[in-house]
Amino acid sequence: MLRFRRMRRLQKFAAVQASVYNHFNQERSLSSRPDFKLNRTAALAEWRGLGAA
């Protein structure tokens, strides 16, 4: 975290990293199908929102 000189940059990075982590690292066996799809949809929506900004 010392590499980030501005808090805003750190927050942006954390938001993107969380979206990617949630999208690709689902413990599939521990969640039901509807929960998995809901989390995946939310992650994709956030990812697209960040890409459009």
Side-chain angles (χ1 to χ4, degrees):
M1 290 203 303
L2 295 175
R3 294 184 301 174
F4 296 99
R5 295 180 187 197
R6 296 196 171 132
M7 183 59 72
R8 186 174 182 146
R9 281 287 202 198
L10 174 60
Q11 289 171 339
K12 265 190 170 180
F13 172 78
V16 170
Q17 196 273 341
S19 298
V20 172
Y21 181 82
N22 287 339
H23 183 69
F24 292 108
N25 290 319
Q26 286 288 325
E27 301 267 343
R28 185 64 187 100
S29 61
L30 300 177
S31 62
S32 66
R33 179 74 179 155
D35 289 341
F36 175 75
K37 287 187 77 161
L38 184 65
N39 288 340
R40 191 165 157 234
T41 302
L44 278 172
E46 189 171 345
W47 184 254
R48 287 181 181 141
L50 288 169

